[in-house]
Amino acid sequence: MGHVSDLLDRPIGVFDSGFGGLTVLRSLVEQLPNEDFIYLGDTARAPYGPRSIAEVRRFALQGLDFLVAQGVKALVIACNSASSAVLRDARERYDVPITEVVLPAASRAVAATRNSRVAVVATESTVNSRSYDDAFAIAPHITLTAQACPRFVEFVEAGITGGDELLTVAREYLEPVIKAQADTLILGCTHYPLLSGVISYVLGNGVTLVSSAEACAQSTYAQLTQAGLLRHQPREATRTFLTTGDATDFQGIGRRLLGGFVTDVRQVRIDADSPQPLAPVG
């Protein structure tokens, strides 16, 4: 790792399997407005949720290797499935601060719960990895209920955040959460904050929703502050959007989810056999 002054001007790399991490990026931009960001969505191979942990690990490390090659000063793994699969490897492999979405959300939930009953809704891959169970090992008094909600991602990417079909699916998925009498729910997939309206409607106001996107952004702020890598001066910051899939599709879905936040998307290849097509950004 170079001197802090050399690193300060570099961008922050944000990796996700697809579009959900844009909710993390939006939280990051709100909390770190003077930072440049490179966002890489591996949409060609998304969704990661139904894939094996080994496959998710391989894909995620290819994406993170690509971002590190662009000269980033920090990495944000903005995907619960990828965080579950590669966090330990990533911390050994890269010499930059790394934040992810699982531990910060778990810490926030422990602080928020009043009855020590917490639930997490996530993809199948995240639930099967038991990463949230591991995260809560530091809080043995917490009873955790984990529920896979695979169809939620389909609704979000189709731009559907309400209606009878979604409501029926949400009621079915959230029934175990209600039965467990959880008073705190972690939205353990970065697509899910976009469904917080319907989730709150089904669960009622007595349940606190914890967004892994927001918790991750706060954790990133803390890590960069501790490392002396946070830009404090107001400036015109840049955002670079890269995807392994179709750039036009990515921009279309990104705009549908987050309005004008997503612009000028470029397609890249990150698989092991391809050259790294970008010069360092920043």
Side-chain angles (χ1 to χ4, degrees), residues 1-11 72-73 95-96 229:
M1 201 164 179
H3 296 295
V4 166
S5 56
D6 303 336
L7 295 173
L8 193 65
D9 296 337
R10 295 184 183 183
V72 296
K73 68 178 176 184
D95 195 16
V96 295
L229 291 176

Side-chain angles (χ1 to χ4, degrees), residues 75-86:
L75 287 169
V76 178
I77 308 173
C79 169
N80 283 264
S81 300
S83 294
S84 305
V86 300

Side-chain angles (χ1 to χ4, degrees), residues 129-233:
S129 74
R130 300 185 66 81
S131 56
Y132 276 96
D133 301 77
D134 293 345
F136 279 97
I138 52 160
H141 63 289
I142 298 286
T143 303
L144 183 67
T145 302
Q147 171 69 19
C149 304
R151 289 197 61 202
F152 275 176
V153 171
E154 295 166 30
F155 283 105
V156 168
E157 293 196 354
I160 298 165
T161 56
D164 290 345
E165 190 187 358
L166 174 59
L167 197 54
T168 301
V169 169
R171 284 193 168 121
E172 187 186 318
Y173 282 158
L174 297 171
E175 196 178 327
V177 176
I178 295 166
K179 273 196 178 143
Q181 298 181 315
D183 72 349
T184 303
L185 177 70
I186 297 172
L187 305 177
C189 168
T190 51
H191 282 73
Y192 296 178
L194 296 157
L195 296 178
S196 56
V198 70
I199 292 168
S200 279
Y201 179 74
V202 171
L203 294 179
N205 291 334
V207 178
T208 301
L209 301 188
V210 172
S211 159
S212 56
E214 224 172 88
C216 173
Q218 290 177 338
S219 175
T220 304
Y221 183 100
Q223 279 218 41
L224 290 179
T225 299
Q226 285 158 8
L229 291 176
L230 197 66
R231 291 177 188 253
H232 299 291
Q233 294 305 314

